[in-house]
Amino acid sequence: MELTPNERFPYPDGNDPGNGALDLQALAESIDAKAQIQLTNFRTKLNKKMRVARLIGTGPNSIGANAFGDVFTMGAGQWSILIDTTGTFLLDASSLNGFGPEPGIFRVGCHLSSNPVGVVTANTYRELRISATVPTNDPSLFPANTTIKRSLSKVFEASTGFVSQTCELEFATLFPAQGANVVTTVNVEFQHGNTGSNVQLLASTLLYTYRVCDIEVL
Amino acid sequence: MPGTTTNFGFRYPLLGETIDATSWQNLAVDIDAVMTRINDLRTKAFHAPTASIGNTGSASLPINSATTVIADMLHNVVNWDTAGLTNIVGNPERINLTPGVWYARFTAGILQNTTTVQQATVYIREVGTGFIWAANSTSNITNPSSNVTGPLTVNAVVVYPAANSITGSVQWIGTGGPAHWTDINGSNLQVYRLREFLDV
């Protein structure tokens, strides 16, 4: 039995007994296995893991001034999943739960619309922040070393109350979900300077996370 | 009765069966079919649908109301379109999306012809419903008398289980006008597909 130089497909050599049926079977199974690998790889690339959630109504009117809080909590009760291919039904689209242990590059983003529930404090800020605490060392070690990546959007309102803003963060993680001590954590947070009244999130506020691509472990 | 392979059922003759031209044909046809499936996926993987529409120097979009109007940017040039997503003559405001998850970005050029601009916002919206996928605001707090704003950019992840269309839209709050969102420093709406809505 000989093998082709690259994909190692078998074929009979001059000294083989010439069992054509068995040779054909070996070749067919070999091609079958290679084809399965190709299909799996392309599907993994095309069926990108992602989770997108949107507010379908106004969030609780409980966001006080000058303190960062979690955007997912600020929209409690109003999130609707638009797509979730992670196999882990989870409304919090900023979580990496369900994305698996494979190293990868991720993008987390948020579009956020906000409005005071009462008095508008003119010209005050609205700040949307995304941060990722990413383990950087061997996941078997404790405590894990981490690095924090941040992205920020700061917009001032214009005496009308209503403000829309967007923020995104990309990061690479070698160990997105391997053990409680080395999990990459993502926070999407919001604060405002509207001291005249609380602020609430509006419908259409959007949270999304997806795996951009794999990354080689060097 | 031929045997078949583990994953794709490639037919091959069993011991004792005659190996003839049909045996080879069956195997070749089966492999051909799977190779075609692989090639389809390869094409999708390396050629994601994408399009971009923009403005040339003559295009601008006057907006006459200073507070309540959100107007769709009208484009007049196709920068690229790999999948027939645009109709720049019939629908210069939109890009048509197939089912899937798309990354969209809209940039509006500089806003001119106003007396003051207090706030300006750019949107990515759904055609027909006006549903807002994303918006981004800027405000001239420290220099409210400024009559020039922009360019402004907004990006969004857009999810559609069925075909739909999006626009890049603009709004401003201030005095004077009608405002013109020009092509200065670029105005364009562009998309690429992140994935199909259902697994392939």
Side-chain angles (χ1 to χ4, degrees), chain B:
Chain B
M1 188 62 149
T4 55
T5 59
T6 308
N7 298 303
F8 300 107
F10 296 161
R11 289 165 290 176
Y12 57 82
L14 295 172
L15 287 174
E17 290 183 345
T18 302
I19 303 173
D20 55 14
T22 301
S23 307
W24 286 97
Q25 182 182 0
N26 287 343
L27 180 57
V29 166
D30 292 346
I31 293 173
D32 181 275
V34 171
M35 289 297 120
T36 300
R37 287 170 59 189
I38 292 174
N39 199 44
D40 287 345
L41 293 182
R42 179 184 177 280
T43 300
K44 288 182 177 181
F46 287 94
H47 301 282
T50 175
S52 172
I53 54 178
N55 288 329
T56 62
S58 62
S60 63
L61 179 65
I63 305 176
N64 295 296
S65 174
T67 56
T68 58
V69 172
I70 303 175
D72 297 335
M73 181 72 80
L74 303 176
H75 303 89
N76 63 2
V77 61
V78 178
N79 297 319
W80 68 79
D81 183 355
T82 68
L85 305 174
T86 62
N87 176 12
I88 201 70
V89 176
N91 299 111
E93 80 288 3
R94 72 182 63 174
I95 293 179
N96 303 310
L97 305 180
T98 55
V101 184
W102 296 76
Y103 195 83
R105 184 182 64 76
F106 171 57
T107 295
I110 286 177
L111 178 67
Q112 290 183 325
N113 199 40
T114 59
T115 304
T116 65
V117 177
Q118 192 173 356
Q119 187 182 61
T121 304
V122 287
Y123 297 86
I124 293 172
R125 300 195 302 164
E126 183 176 288
V127 169
T129 65
F131 174 82
I132 297 168
W133 277 107
N136 208 17
S137 303
T138 188
S139 302
N140 287 320
I141 297 301
T142 58
N143 185 20
S145 64
S146 169
N147 62 358
V148 175
T149 301
L152 292 173
T153 294
V154 60
N155 47 271
V157 166
V158 178
V159 183
Y160 280 126
N164 216 314
S165 304
I166 60 168
T167 66
S169 309
V170 295
Q171 180 188 34
W172 69 289
I173 299 169
T175 60
H180 289 256
W181 291 84
T182 72
D183 70 321
I184 298 173
N185 290 336
S187 289
N188 51 64
L189 173 67
Q190 53 199 48
V191 299
Y192 65 89
R193 193 172 66 194
L194 293 169
R195 57 160 290 147
E196 296 189 21
F197 187 76
L198 300 175
D199 282 353
V200 296

Side-chain angles (χ1 to χ4, degrees), chain A:
Chain A
M1 183 70 73
E2 297 286 348
L3 299 172
T4 59
N6 298 312
E7 299 299 331
R8 317 297 287 170
F9 292 139
Y11 62 92
D13 64 22
N15 296 320
D16 281 340
N19 188 332
L22 202 55
D23 291 335
L24 269 178
Q25 179 181 357
L27 177 60
E29 287 287 5
S30 181
I31 295 172
D32 178 282
K34 292 287 185 182
Q36 177 72 352
I37 292 171
Q38 295 258 12
L39 272 180
T40 300
N41 287 345
F42 278 128
R43 283 182 173 141
T44 299
K45 176 174 173 55
L46 289 164
N47 299 328
K48 198 181 296 290
K49 284 187 175 181
M50 60 173 55
R51 186 185 295 124
V52 184
R54 179 173 67 190
L55 273 192
I56 56 174
T58 304
N61 60 356
S62 56
I63 309 173
N66 299 318
F68 270 114
D70 176 58
V71 167
F72 179 68
T73 304
M74 291 174 176
Q78 296 296 328
W79 292 105
S80 172
I81 287 281
L82 299 182
I83 187 169
D84 183 357
T85 66
T86 64
T88 303
F89 184 77
L90 194 69
L91 286 172
D92 187 354
S94 63
S95 166
L96 291 184
N97 286 353
F99 280 91
E102 299 84 5
I105 296 174
F106 291 83
R107 173 177 284 153
V108 177
C110 180
H111 154 65
L112 187 144
S113 291
S114 59
N115 205 32
V117 295
V119 175
V120 176
T121 309
N123 301 340
T124 51
Y125 72 91
R126 309 283 170 85
E127 206 165 67
L128 175 60
R129 179 176 75 181
I130 300 177
S131 60
T133 305
V134 185
T136 57
N137 67 345
D138 187 331
S140 66
L141 301 178
F142 178 80
N145 294 326
T146 58
T147 183
I148 298 176
K149 311 288 186 184
R150 280 207 176 92
S151 183
L152 182 84
S153 162
K154 188 170 188 176
V155 177
F156 289 85
E157 75 86 41
S159 302
T160 63
F162 174 80
V163 168
S164 277
Q165 58 201 121
T166 60
C167 189
E168 286 189 334
L169 177 68
E170 291 87 22
F171 54 91
T173 176
L174 301 183
F175 320 110
Q178 290 193 355
N181 299 318
V182 290
V183 171
T184 295
T185 56
V186 180
N187 288 300
V188 182
E189 298 168 301
F190 173 72
Q191 71 169 354
H192 64 87
N194 199 90
T195 54
S197 67
N198 285 348
V199 165
Q200 59 189 165
L201 305 188
L202 303 181
S204 87
T205 292
L206 194 72
L207 263 176
Y208 51 88
T209 300
Y210 62 90
R211 177 189 289 274
V212 176
C213 61
D214 293 339
I215 186 170
E216 295 286 341
V217 181
L218 300 176

